[in-house]
Amino acid sequence: MKLNPFNTRIGLALGGGAAKGIAHIGVLKAFEEEGIRIHCISGTSVGALVASYYAFGRPVESILSIGSTLNLSKILNFTFERGGLFSTQAIREMIERDLGDCLIEDANIPLAICATDIETGKQLIFRSGNLADAVCASMAVPGLFVPMEVGGRILVDGGLVENVPISPLAKMGAGITVAIDLSHVSQYQKPEDTFDVISNAINIAIDFNTREQLKKADIVVPLDLSGYSLTNNAKHVQELYMEGYHPMKKKIQRVLWYKRANVFMYLFKGIRKLLPLKVPEIIKDLKSHLLAMRNRV
């Protein structure tokens, strides 16, 4: 239960999904069109990349221009380093070219980037420090990219622990959390190469945890992008953009409903906790009324 029922600050969590991350840009466009402010934003893997661009003030149309660069062949730099086949140098160069050599704490919108400590298995949430370091760590798919060493810790893709990073948002002051899941699929794409096999294996494990973690979000936007590639969607940038835009547009009214009904929901949850054995009829009526309102939006 939220500690402050009057808190209607919106926190947005952008999940991992490799080249499917273009859909996140359509989600951001839906928020902008409705004039709904995002008060804090978190990201894992490609979600960390898109969240960073938005948090540092890049317009949606400008972020969309990087869609064609979310192409595995364009960001792979073969390396002889231990721990992976490729380095994340191309990702670093893109960030520094577009945003500069900047610090996470200097973002216009409070930003959190999630990575995984490969030695301890624990999540590391970056709220400060070098932006490129954090994003490269969050995008370092194990076995494919060389892990990033930051502050003496060996870091890889944040999706191993929390692929849709809802957990940082409450600590960042969010009262309403919106989660964008790029991996809501009933069947995984038929693998065509080694990377697809590795990706499917990782995603199956990640998605099992994600389903439970998503229950903590107030609003979930599940996207079935099984028809798109994990490695290259350069020819489908506009289609993927719309795959995020239209579902978020449909959920926008629910975001507004939460802003209006947050106090009532808080009171209901409080009374239910105080009276766990027998909830008065008036409370049941209130719950029914609130659910009816929610279903109408």
Side-chain angles (χ1 to χ4, degrees):
M1 185 170 64
K2 296 179 177 66
L3 296 178
N4 182 2
F6 301 100
N7 182 3
T8 57
R9 292 168 57 85
I10 295 171
L12 178 64
L14 302 183
K20 300 177 183 182
I22 296 166
H24 284 319
I25 308 170
V27 168
L28 295 171
K29 183 62 176 179
F31 273 95
E32 280 197 355
E33 280 191 353
E34 296 294 329
I36 298 176
R37 178 185 172 190
I38 297 170
H39 296 85
C40 55
I41 189 167
S42 62
T44 292
S45 196
V46 70
L49 181 67
V50 175
S52 296
Y53 272 70
Y54 192 72
F56 274 88
R58 293 300 291 263
V60 169
E61 290 73 16
S62 175
I63 304 174
L64 189 60
S65 68
I66 74 168
S68 60
T69 66
L70 295 178
N71 176 344
L72 193 64
S73 64
K74 291 187 177 183
I75 62 173
L76 292 182
N77 293 87
F78 186 75
T79 180
F80 291 102
E81 296 180 59
R82 294 177 61 185
L85 299 174
F86 307 99
S87 78
T88 52
Q89 184 61 30
I91 299 170
R92 175 182 298 278
E93 291 173 357
M94 182 175 69
I95 293 170
E96 292 179 346
R97 179 197 69 205
D98 295 340
L99 303 178
D101 185 14
C102 49
L103 300 175
I104 297 170
E105 60 265 37
D106 293 334
N108 300 338
I109 301 171
L111 171 65
I113 295 171
C114 300
T116 302
D117 186 321
I118 199 64
E119 293 183 288
T120 66
K122 294 182 179 179
Q123 182 184 55
L124 180 62
I125 300 172
F126 287 94
R127 292 289 314 281
S128 61
N130 183 271
L131 177 68
D133 282 350
V135 174
C136 286
S138 187
M139 295 185 72
V141 177
L144 187 67
F145 289 103
V146 175
M148 281 288 301
E149 183 172 351
V150 181
R153 303 178 74 173
I154 309 301
L155 306 176
V156 296
D157 194 326
L160 294 180
V161 177
E162 190 176 20
N163 198 41
V164 185
I166 302 159
S167 63
L169 296 176
K171 295 179 181 178
M172 297 167 75
I176 301 169
T177 53
V178 182
I180 312 301
D181 179 18
L182 301 182
S183 303
H184 187 77
V185 297
S186 56
Q187 184 172 342
Y188 296 88
Q189 189 175 21
K190 182 179 180 179
E192 297 180 357
D193 52 36
T194 302
F195 177 74
D196 286 343
V197 173
I198 295 172
S199 296
N200 277 12
I202 293 173
N203 287 334
I204 289 168
I206 288 172
D207 293 345
F208 182 81
N209 289 328
T210 300
R211 284 191 289 271
E212 286 300 311
Q213 293 166 349
L214 287 174
K215 294 177 182 179
K216 299 176 183 178
D218 293 312
I219 299 168
V220 177
V221 182
L223 303 180
D224 183 350
L225 305 177
S226 54
Y228 297 90
S229 170
L230 281 165
T231 59
N232 181 9
N233 291 303
K235 295 181 180 180
H236 305 287
V237 171
Q238 195 62 32
E239 295 98 313
L240 262 174
Y241 173 79
M242 289 300 175
E243 292 279 7
Y245 172 80
H246 289 302
M248 189 67 248
K249 198 76 169 172
K250 291 179 181 178
K251 294 269 186 163
I252 284 292
Q253 290 303 314
R254 185 162 293 183
V255 176
L256 295 173
W257 181 89
Y258 259 91
K259 288 174 72 69
R260 293 192 297 266
N262 211 25
V263 175
F264 295 106
M265 292 295 287
Y266 179 85
L267 290 174
F268 168 74
K269 290 177 182 179
I271 294 172
R272 189 173 62 181
K273 282 198 171 189
L274 291 173
L275 302 170
L277 299 178
K278 184 178 180 181
V279 181
E281 290 300 321
I282 187 170
I283 301 303
K284 290 183 179 179
D285 292 342
L286 175 59
K287 180 181 179 182
S288 299
H289 179 65
L290 289 173
L291 289 174
M293 287 175 58
R294 179 174 178 175
N295 292 332
R296 285 200 295 268
V297 298

